[in-house]
């Protein structure tokens, strides 16, 4: 009786082995998100950057990394400090494919040399010409930028035909006062610089709308959080200097994410402690991925604000011409106001 029982058990095992277990469905690949653009997308101003072998100043605290972490997207973080429209076209569009789901982009400020304009306007007016610098920037925005953006947006759509594309604008930096002792922005200059940001946003919005993209203007969101406001979302004169006049971590997490996130993804995006932790944990992988593009990124020239230097030979010569006593702050300020008013009267 033992042998038949053994044979029966063996047959049962064979039958079980022959049963086909249904395969578990493979986990869906995360949606592809490509972040294009300049320092306002890369995260300059957040004071913590990826060790990716570049000067792009990409940060896990920038809005693209926070949105990707909150939604579980696979981020290709191509945005780079200093990028112009031409740089985005030449160095960043290779990240786009027909399977790209989401694209964000901020670009145009460097085409108008906005960092150089800020550098000029931060000097006392007797050693600079802020009015002329702003005029040149506005001429580029109105005369050249529409065609550049139109071409770029067309290339984005051709490479990523199914993607949701959101274009991010630029906030007004100033609130009408200058609380930094080492800069000389007048209220008039600040008003014109803010008006230049508005012009840049209107120009960008028109190009984005023509391309069928969504544009988001951060002006209202950042109101009350400009440089010298009680709660700043934008750095004033910062350390390091390269972080000056860019959104800080709050500017990205509380300013840009609630603005860009819903437009890009179709749903609200919340930045929680877990979101920030996930973004920070993504840093090494993001750095590794972007390190592969370091040679391309090296062609992008960083645009940096430069602190006024009143000890330079040029400053001393300008002071002598204007009759300024460089050892007397009141003398510097009086001459600044007089020279600024003269420049405005000549417009």
């Amino acid at each position: 009786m033992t042998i038949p029982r053994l044979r029966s058990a063996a047959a049962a095992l064979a039958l079980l082995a022959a049963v086909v277990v249904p395969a578990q469905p493979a986990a869906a690949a995360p949606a592809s998100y490509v972040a294009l653009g300049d320092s306002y997308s890369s995260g300059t101003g957040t004071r913590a950057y990826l060790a990716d072998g570049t000067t792009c100043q990409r940060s896990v605290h920038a809005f693209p990394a926070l949105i990707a972490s909150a939604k579980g997207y696979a981020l290709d973080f191509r945005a780079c400090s200093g990028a112009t429209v031409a740089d985005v076209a030449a160095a960043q569009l290779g990240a786009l494919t027909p399977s790209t789901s989401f694209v964000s982009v901020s670009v145009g400020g460097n085409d108008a040399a906005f960092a150089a304009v800020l550098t000029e306007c931060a000097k006392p007016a007797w050693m600079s010409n802020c009015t002329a610098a702003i005029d040149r920037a506005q001429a580029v925005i109105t005369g050249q930028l529409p065609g550049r953006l139109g071409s770029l947006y067309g290339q984005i759509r051709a490479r990523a035909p199914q993607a949701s594309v959101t274009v991010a604008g630029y906030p007004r930096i100033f609130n009408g006062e200058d609380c930094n002792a080492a800069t000389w922005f007048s209220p008039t200059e600040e008003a014109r610089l803010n008006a230049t940001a508005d012009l840049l946003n209107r120009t960008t919005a028109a190009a984005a709308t023509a391309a069928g993209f969504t544009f988001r203007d951060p002006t209202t969101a950042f109101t009350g959080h400009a440089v010298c406001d009680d709660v700043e979302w934008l750095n004033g004169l910062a350390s390091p200097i390269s972080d000056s006049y860019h959104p800080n971590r709050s500017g990205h997490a509380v300013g840009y994410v609630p603005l860009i996130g819903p437009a890009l993804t179709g749903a609200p995006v919340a930045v929680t402690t877990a979101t920030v932790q996930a973004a920070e944990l993504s840093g090494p992988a993001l750095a590794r991925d972007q390190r592969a593009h370091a040679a391309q990124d090296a062609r992008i020239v960083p645009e940096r604000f430069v602190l006024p230097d009143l000890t330079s030979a040029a400053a001393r010569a300008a002071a002598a011409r204007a009759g300024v006593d460089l050892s007397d702050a009141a003398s510097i300020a009086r001459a600044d106001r007089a020279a600024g008013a003269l420049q405005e009267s000549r417009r």
Side-chain angles (χ1 to χ4, degrees), residues 34-308:
V34 178
L36 307 171
D38 56 20
S39 56
Y40 273 67
S41 289
S42 72
T44 299
T46 61
R47 292 183 168 85
Y49 306 112
L50 301 180
D52 59 6
T54 78
T55 58
C56 288
Q57 293 190 309
R58 299 182 178 105
S59 175
V60 296
H61 299 283
F63 76 80
L66 294 173
I67 291 172
S69 295
K71 304 297 287 187
Y73 296 160
L75 175 63
D76 196 341
F77 200 176
R78 298 298 296 126
C80 183
S81 177
T84 61
V85 171
D87 292 324
V88 173
Q92 299 179 17
L93 294 189
L96 302 175
T97 72
S99 63
T100 300
S101 299
F102 303 100
V103 178
S104 64
V105 57
S106 66
V107 69
N110 292 319
D111 288 72
F114 204 69
V117 174
L118 288 172
T119 294
E120 187 73 5
C121 293
K123 302 173 186 175
W126 47 263
M127 63 175 291
S128 66
N129 194 333
C130 177
T131 297
I134 292 174
D135 288 344
R136 288 192 296 271
Q138 292 184 350
V140 170
I141 293 169
T142 58
Q144 301 178 37
L145 196 58
R148 296 178 188 179
L149 290 174
S151 175
L152 177 68
Y153 294 164
Q155 294 177 69
I156 291 173
R157 178 51 76 209
R159 288 172 176 262
Q162 304 302 318
S164 166
V165 182
T166 299
V167 179
Y170 299 89
R172 293 175 179 173
I173 294 176
F174 299 104
N175 71 351
E177 64 175 306
D178 186 356
C179 58
N180 294 299
T183 56
W184 285 269
F185 294 105
S186 73
T188 299
E189 289 167 346
E190 291 194 356
R192 287 204 70 207
L193 288 164
N194 284 346
T196 303
D198 293 344
L199 176 63
L200 180 55
N201 284 334
R202 289 195 301 271
T203 302
T204 306
T209 300
F213 297 165
T214 301
F215 176 79
R216 284 294 177 263
D217 185 342
T219 301
T220 299
F222 277 77
T223 298
H225 302 289
V227 172
C228 296
D229 275 324
D230 290 339
V231 179
E232 293 181 331
W233 290 357
L234 290 153
N235 298 324
L237 190 59
S239 179
I241 293 295
S242 63
D243 281 18
S244 301
Y245 307 108
H246 281 83
N248 55 29
R249 295 186 188 187
S250 293
H252 281 274
V254 191
Y256 269 112
V257 168
L259 185 71
I260 304 300
L264 187 69
T265 71
V269 179
V271 177
T272 64
T273 300
T275 302
V276 175
Q277 290 174 343
E280 291 172 343
L281 289 173
S282 75
L286 291 175
R288 181 195 64 231
D289 292 344
Q290 296 312 314
R291 206 172 290 127
H293 306 290
Q296 274 187 311
D297 292 337
R299 300 176 190 141
I300 298 174
V301 179
E303 296 288 339
R304 301 283 191 256
F305 173 77
V306 179
L307 185 68

